[in-house]
Amino acid sequence: MKRPVTLAAGLAALAGLLMIDALPAQAGPRAFISNERDHTMSVLDMDSLKVIKTIKTGRRPRGITASPDGKLIYLCASDDSRIEVYDSQTMELVKTLRSGPDPELFVLHPSGNPLYIANEDDNMVTVVNVNNNELVAEIPVGVEPEGMGVSPDGKYLVNTSETTNMAHVIDTSNNEIIENILVDSRPRFAQFSHDGKQLWVSSEVGGTVAVVDPATWKIVKKISFKIPGVADEAIQPVGIRLTKDGSKAFVALGPANRVAVIDPKTLEVEKYLLVGQRVWQLGFTPDEKILVSTNGNSNDVSIIDVASEKVTKSITVGRAPWGVVIVP
């Protein structure tokens, strides 16, 4: 026999429905872009491809990364010599962390702690505990350190020193340099493949990307670039990204206004994608369907469809966008 619905029960059910309707829709991926000259960070909704917020940051923001769970955004405020930490959902500043002078780029250990920071002005890599802001170590490296990469297992850290023209391999168990790899002029970025079997190092002025075998720390190939109608000196490799399945690599080529698409197996350049002016860095969406490039001189980002290898859109952000990270 059916029980009659009481007034109280009916009101409770109605309230429940209203609460369900009031719940916000699941947020899509967000791209966080550091704008070097504006001293801001643009937040781009990757579903609508619109800037949803501009956050005032410390001076000259450059390097940017996220915690493994995507909840925190770490930002190098280079001219303020500090690391700023933001909540990726509320987009509010949570705390600041110490760094040495002029932090340029950094990388998190795969576990999420510690943070390894390249400090350009004192030729050091600073190691900081992100939980308690304690200084773990200072590692002397070459002149003008910038690029930072860490192996997928967290055992090896790589720093590139622009003036020394070296990639320094550091054992993270004792923070000691175990190898110095001579590369071409002005190395800017280091990136391990997801299986840990390749290390890619870009040399901006040298115009090459060195691919290194981590088993021996020897260079197996230097990839060079030729673009019809573009002067060789304008081809300046900087940011690098490799897909998780190892099928594609992308290299930002600076004033050439191109992103190179490379086969990581053959190490041959397959094509060049025309993007905005002075492309610096690159970032994948979590599903790796979209790649975003930051274009410093045209004050925009380019949206690249990874499957079709085509540029689909450009979006204006702040002045001199430099770094990008995308979280779920």
Side-chain angles (χ1 to χ4, degrees), residues 30 32 43 66-67 69-73 86-92 94 327-328:
R30 289 174 174 175
F32 291 80
V43 184
S67 58
D69 61 10
K71 292 181 179 180
L72 297 175
I73 303 297
Y86 293 84
D87 184 305
S88 65
Q89 293 305 306
T90 66
M91 297 177 279
E92 298 292 334
V94 175
V327 298

Side-chain angles (χ1 to χ4, degrees), residues 245-264:
D245 64 6
S247 64
K248 296 179 183 182
F250 297 86
V251 178
L253 297 178
N257 307 335
R258 304 294 198 285
V259 171
V261 184
I262 301 169
D263 183 334

Side-chain angles (χ1 to χ4, degrees), residues 14-28:
L14 180 60
L17 288 171
L18 290 173
M19 284 179 67
I20 291 170
D21 288 342
L23 289 174
Q26 182 70 30

